[in-house]
Amino acid sequence: MNPKVLVVVSNANSIGPNNKRTGTFLPEVAHPYAEFENAGYQIDFASLTGESPFLDALNLADDPENLKFLTGKGWEDMHNAKKLSEVNTSNYDAVFVPGGLAPMVDMAEAPELKKVLADFYESNRVVGAVCHGPVSLLNVKLSDGSYLVNGKNIAAFSTAEEESYAKADVAFDLQTALTEQGAIFHAAEPWSANSIADGNIVTGQNPASAKGVGEKIVALLEAKKA
């Protein structure tokens, strides 16, 4: 049976003191989705509240994988995402959290999400996230009380990138927060492709890293099938 991937998306549509419009950043969901789809995996969506999520970066719709996601099954399925607490997550082999600024609003503190991510990790399943998506890994505690990211090699949106992007909108700096919980943070040149697999944890730095995150998740799942 082919692996099943659960994509968990934010429900936020604005951020910061100026209510900057946001959502899930299109290529960060579309590019990994294409990798999962090409591998023949079942892909399902969940959101924190079960309400229809939002997409950002629709101006990038001319990219072939982005366009295919928008006009094909991807956006339709994401639009109909189930509420995370109502999903039987034990049926899935991997969980993936795309970025955009939206996760910075509702995923730093989200008890159900933290529980799900800890369960995936402790049951030897794959946990992936890209760009601001690794904010979901913050405050995830394992059975022994340690932080999930403690001692793990992690990539996420870097301080240098945030300085020129949305520093005025985010409540905290993601690189700093992950490092404070013990993550071994790997920051490449701003906006360059940078994805890392550390055991079953796969993370990526920015939109350019989304395809690599998808590829690494597929590689891990294929290795588990062997």
Side-chain angles (χ1 to χ4, degrees):
M1 184 178 293
N2 281 342
K4 298 178 180 179
V5 180
L6 182 65
V7 181
V8 182
V9 294
S10 168
N11 287 109
N13 67 348
S14 66
I15 187 171
N18 298 313
N19 291 313
K20 179 185 176 76
R21 299 294 290 178
T22 188
T24 297
F25 205 74
L26 174 56
E28 293 174 18
V29 64
H31 288 194
Y33 184 94
E35 297 302 317
F36 305 150
E37 188 175 46
N38 290 340
Y41 298 169
Q42 177 180 320
I43 313 160
D44 295 322
F45 285 88
S47 71
L48 301 189
T49 68
E51 298 167 287
S52 182
F54 297 82
L55 274 175
D56 194 7
L58 293 175
N59 59 304
L60 301 177
D62 57 346
D63 170 274
E65 289 175 346
N66 292 348
L67 183 61
K68 184 178 179 182
F69 181 87
L70 286 171
T71 59
K73 198 166 178 288
W75 171 232
E76 180 183 352
D77 287 349
M78 180 174 161
H79 189 68
N80 295 309
K82 294 181 180 178
K83 187 175 181 180
L84 180 60
S85 62
E86 297 173 356
V87 176
N88 182 359
T89 57
S90 65
N91 289 333
Y92 294 90
D93 303 283
V95 60
F96 169 65
V97 182
L101 287 171
M104 294 291 288
V105 177
D106 60 5
M107 287 188 170
E109 303 283 352
E112 181 67 26
L113 178 61
K114 307 304 167 180
K115 178 184 171 186
V116 166
L117 293 174
D119 181 58
F120 266 81
Y121 178 77
E122 294 194 314
S123 57
N124 197 34
R125 292 178 288 165
V126 177
V127 175
V130 68
C131 198
H132 287 93
V135 69
S136 62
L137 304 179
L138 278 178
N139 303 312
V140 176
K141 286 195 173 181
L142 304 178
S143 300
D144 63 3
S146 66
Y147 285 115
L148 170 64
V149 298
N150 185 40
K152 307 299 193 309
N153 294 289
I154 299 291
F157 204 63
S158 67
T159 301
E161 288 166 323
E162 202 72 270
E163 286 283 345
S164 62
Y165 183 64
K167 185 179 179 182
D169 302 299
V170 294
F172 60 91
D173 180 69
L174 182 54
Q175 177 177 341
T176 300
L178 288 165
T179 303
E180 287 175 348
Q181 291 192 0
I184 303 166
F185 198 93
H186 294 262
E189 284 296 311
W191 309 106
S192 64
N194 176 32
S195 56
I196 297 174
D198 186 341
N200 286 329
I201 301 176
V202 181
T203 50
Q205 182 171 328
N206 49 37
S209 311
K211 180 178 175 64
V213 169
E215 291 172 339
K216 287 178 171 64
I217 291 174
V218 168
L220 284 171
L221 292 175
E222 290 302 303
K224 290 176 182 292
K225 285 166 61 178

